[in-house]
Amino acid sequence: MPDSEYRDIRKLDLFAQMADDNFTSLMRGAYVQNFPAQIELVTEGEPSDFLHIVITGSVDLFSAWNGRDTSMATVRPISTFILAATIKDAPYLMSARTLEKSRIALIPSQDVRAIFDADSNFARAIVTELAQCYRSVIKAQKDLKLRTSLERLANYLLRQQRHAGGGAAFELDFEKRRLASVLGMTPENLSRAFKGLQPYGVTVTGTRISIDNQADLERFAKPNPLIDDFST
Amino acid sequence: MPDSEYRDIRKLDLFAQMADDNFTSLMRGAYVQNFPAQIELVTEGEPSDFLHIVITGSVDLFSAWNGRDTSMATVRPISTFILAATIKDAPYLMSARTLEKSRIALIPSQDVRAIFDADSNFARAIVTELAQCYRSVIKAQKDLKLRTSLERLANYLLRQQRHAGGGAAFELDFEKRRLASVLGMTPENLSRAFKGLQPYGVTVTGTRISIDNQADLERFAKPNPLIDDFST
DNA sequence: ATGGCGGGTTGACATTTATCAATTGATTTG
DNA sequence: CAAATCAATTGATAAATGTCAACCCGCCAT
């Protein structure tokens, strides 16, 4: 593993506070690999042998049942995924596939569990990370259960806008078909939902979104930090 | 706090392995209180001052937005809730209200965080608990996004049946209106959904459910451990 | 260049789900 | 006991969402 990556991983909240030699021994067992796009890294139901870290590229976490499937989340650099399965030594609940060419680090789950027991700073970081993940899913669930698809889209756009710096125009960061899946609707419906937001000043050109009337859209979307704010 | 309760709490996975004096000091700051039914114990958005433990009774975790509300989960004895908010020292994401007369223990959040740092067994237990909670919400989300309301009801019945011992007949463990909210539908819809399951051998009499054709219902519901099995 | 190919869009339609109003039935309360 | 209350159900209707088919369009590969 190149030094720069090693340092980038070290800087992750999850690893930043742990003892040097513990981090070193975690990394000794790890390996890093480049994957092409559309590779299934992990299949739901399988034992969770590795904690994964996305170094570059992006990964889609999704799940399937009875012929249907849905996108649960997207993992972008630099962060980890399937921490909970690793900790519990339980089967993956979601599958993961690369969305583009990606560089992924894999740390054997048993090493993570061993170092967890030995390093209390690491343990604390894991707890914080898990609590964060838990709260994110709760927010997603509230989004799903309390809002219509139009409201979900409106709030998604506002979140994405903020994430992109807050300007009136910004780019969607993924394919519309996948956005539809993330938001829990069909691509056809998403297309119509975009139309449905035109009266609130939303214009769409390809992947470019422009919010022409911020106040109007916010009045409709009613964003709420207890659902839309990912930092808390 | 009576000795028997003290021992019951001690037996919780969360506290079972921690050092005696740490547990004692946690409990010293705690207090136990009886609440009548329908009391709002916690309001979403407020700072999370206490970790709560349901000793007897039951508690509904719910959330509201824009005039709508939805039931997220039910907490039954003996278990804790809002652990993640306590750990992160962040606002509650859900409100909590007693469903019936309930006895609740409250442990100051700052004590939990302090002992967490001091007791690695406690820390490990918290991690396991959080990972469990996280996985439960992921399962709930898959249930919501991948299944129709009829399928959700069918699978709920199968879970409840198993929970009740596996017999063909069993009792719903809550009001239908709240079941509807948990399953993400309206009460009217739930009523119709029960009718919709009649062809698969489900009979409803008040809160009593009878599954007359197990195989048929399972063929329809297609239960899946990665969604419906709460233990993994 | 051009012929697929796939994502996106659109329209027509079916299905699902919600809403509103009214009724039933059981339980509580004066 | 009767009135009041509330959960549950039912019917009628509306709104939201999904499905299917067709089409457009940009992109890639031959």
Side-chain angles (χ1 to χ4, degrees):
Chain A
M1 189 189 306
D3 251 23
S4 67
E5 280 175 5
Y6 186 93
R7 271 180 276 113
D8 284 344
I9 293 177
R10 181 65 157 134
K11 271 187 275 182
L12 290 179
D13 285 344
L14 197 54
F15 305 109
Q17 304 299 324
M18 67 192 298
D20 266 331
D21 48 350
N22 286 330
F23 181 69
T24 307
S25 86
L26 255 194
M27 287 302 121
R28 202 166 20 237
Y31 60 99
V32 179
Q33 212 171 325
N34 288 309
F35 295 94
Q38 306 301 335
I39 288 291
E40 189 157 323
L41 300 168
V42 151
T43 305
E44 55 180 320
E46 289 183 351
S48 54
D49 298 327
F50 297 97
L51 175 66
H52 295 236
I53 305 175
V54 183
I55 299 172
T56 63
S58 55
V59 170
D60 182 35
L61 300 183
F62 66 101
S63 184
W65 177 81
N66 194 27
R68 295 162 222 167
D69 64 73
T70 190
S71 214
M72 303 284 289
T74 302
V75 188
R76 293 178 189 287
I78 293 185
S79 49
T80 66
F81 61 92
I82 41 181
L83 179 57
T86 288
I87 292 299
K88 289 216 60 166
D89 198 6
Y92 297 126
L93 291 180
M94 300 180 276
S95 302
R97 79 185 137 216
T98 53
L99 288 169
E100 54 194 305
K101 199 164 164 306
S102 300
R103 194 165 165 79
I104 314 275
L106 300 125
I107 308 181
S109 292
Q110 56 189 31
D111 294 357
V112 175
R113 290 191 292 269
I115 306 285
F116 170 90
D117 285 326
D119 189 311
S120 66
N121 282 326
F122 185 46
R124 188 172 226 324
I126 285 184
V127 165
T128 305
E129 178 101 352
L130 275 176
Q132 171 74 37
C133 290
Y134 172 77
R135 288 170 63 88
S136 294
V137 194
I138 291 288
K139 287 172 197 162
Q141 186 144 345
K142 289 168 65 175
D143 191 46
L144 268 175
K145 289 186 80 175
L146 291 168
R147 290 171 170 165
T148 65
S149 60
L150 202 58
E151 290 165 342
R152 288 200 296 278
L153 175 60
N155 281 291
Y156 171 82
L157 292 180
L158 290 173
R159 291 197 301 267
Q160 184 60 22
Q161 177 192 35
R162 193 152 68 119
H163 185 73
F170 56 94
E171 297 281 330
L172 289 179
D173 62 354
F174 34 60
E175 261 187 325
K176 287 184 187 165
R177 52 181 14 248
R178 236 162 45 68
L179 174 57
S181 183
V182 168
L183 294 177
M185 55 178 127
T186 58
E188 293 96 326
N189 231 321
L190 175 62
S191 209
R192 288 168 188 131
F194 273 122
K195 289 238 163 106
L197 290 180
Q198 275 177 14
Y200 303 100
V202 174
T203 1
V204 185
T205 321
T207 61
R208 187 151 195 86
I209 307 293
S210 163
I211 294 180
D212 310 317
N213 190 333
Q214 188 77 23
D216 247 25
L217 184 60
E218 288 186 359
R219 197 156 35 241
F220 170 74
K222 296 186 174 57
N224 181 318
L226 299 177
I227 304 180
D228 301 295
D229 193 340
F230 280 107
S231 60
T232 63
Chain B
M1 187 189 307
D3 251 23
S4 68
E5 279 174 5
Y6 186 93
R7 272 181 277 112
D8 283 345
I9 293 177
R10 181 65 156 132
K11 271 187 277 184
L12 290 178
D13 284 345
L14 199 53
F15 304 110
Q17 304 299 324
M18 68 191 298
D20 267 330
D21 49 348
N22 287 331
F23 181 69
T24 307
S25 87
L26 254 194
M27 288 301 120
R28 205 170 13 243
Y31 61 98
V32 179
Q33 213 170 324
N34 288 309
F35 295 94
Q38 306 301 334
I39 288 291
E40 188 156 324
L41 300 168
V42 151
T43 304
E44 55 180 320
E46 287 182 352
S48 54
D49 298 326
F50 297 97
L51 175 65
H52 294 237
I53 305 175
V54 184
I55 299 172
T56 63
S58 56
V59 170
D60 182 38
L61 300 183
F62 66 101
S63 184
W65 177 81
N66 194 27
R68 295 161 221 168
D69 65 71
T70 189
S71 215
M72 303 285 288
T74 302
V75 188
R76 295 179 188 285
I78 296 185
S79 50
T80 66
F81 60 92
I82 41 181
L83 179 57
T86 287
I87 291 299
K88 288 216 61 166
D89 197 7
Y92 297 127
L93 291 180
M94 299 180 274
S95 302
R97 78 185 139 216
T98 53
L99 288 169
E100 54 193 305
K101 197 163 165 306
S102 301
R103 194 165 166 78
I104 314 274
L106 300 125
I107 307 180
S109 293
Q110 56 189 31
D111 295 357
V112 175
R113 290 190 291 269
I115 306 286
F116 170 90
D117 285 327
D119 190 312
S120 66
N121 282 325
F122 185 45
R124 188 175 225 321
I126 286 184
V127 165
T128 305
E129 178 100 354
L130 276 176
Q132 173 73 39
C133 291
Y134 172 78
R135 288 170 63 89
S136 294
V137 195
I138 291 287
K139 287 172 196 160
Q141 184 141 345
K142 287 167 66 174
D143 192 45
L144 269 175
K145 291 187 78 176
L146 290 168
R147 290 171 171 166
T148 66
S149 59
L150 202 58
E151 290 165 342
R152 288 200 297 278
L153 176 59
N155 281 292
Y156 172 82
L157 292 180
L158 290 173
R159 291 197 300 267
Q160 185 60 22
Q161 176 191 35
R162 192 151 67 120
H163 188 234
F170 57 94
E171 297 282 328
L172 289 179
D173 62 353
F174 34 60
E175 261 186 324
K176 287 184 186 166
R177 57 185 8 252
R178 234 161 48 65
L179 175 57
S181 184
V182 169
L183 294 177
M185 54 178 126
T186 58
E188 294 96 327
N189 231 321
L190 175 62
S191 209
R192 289 170 186 129
F194 273 122
K195 289 234 163 111
L197 290 181
Q198 275 176 15
Y200 302 100
V202 174
T203 351
V204 186
T205 321
T207 60
R208 186 150 195 85
I209 306 294
S210 164
I211 294 180
D212 309 317
N213 190 332
Q214 188 78 23
D216 248 23
L217 185 59
E218 287 186 359
R219 198 157 32 241
F220 170 73
K222 297 186 173 57
N224 181 318
L226 299 178
I227 304 180
D228 301 295
D229 192 340
F230 280 107
S231 59
T232 62

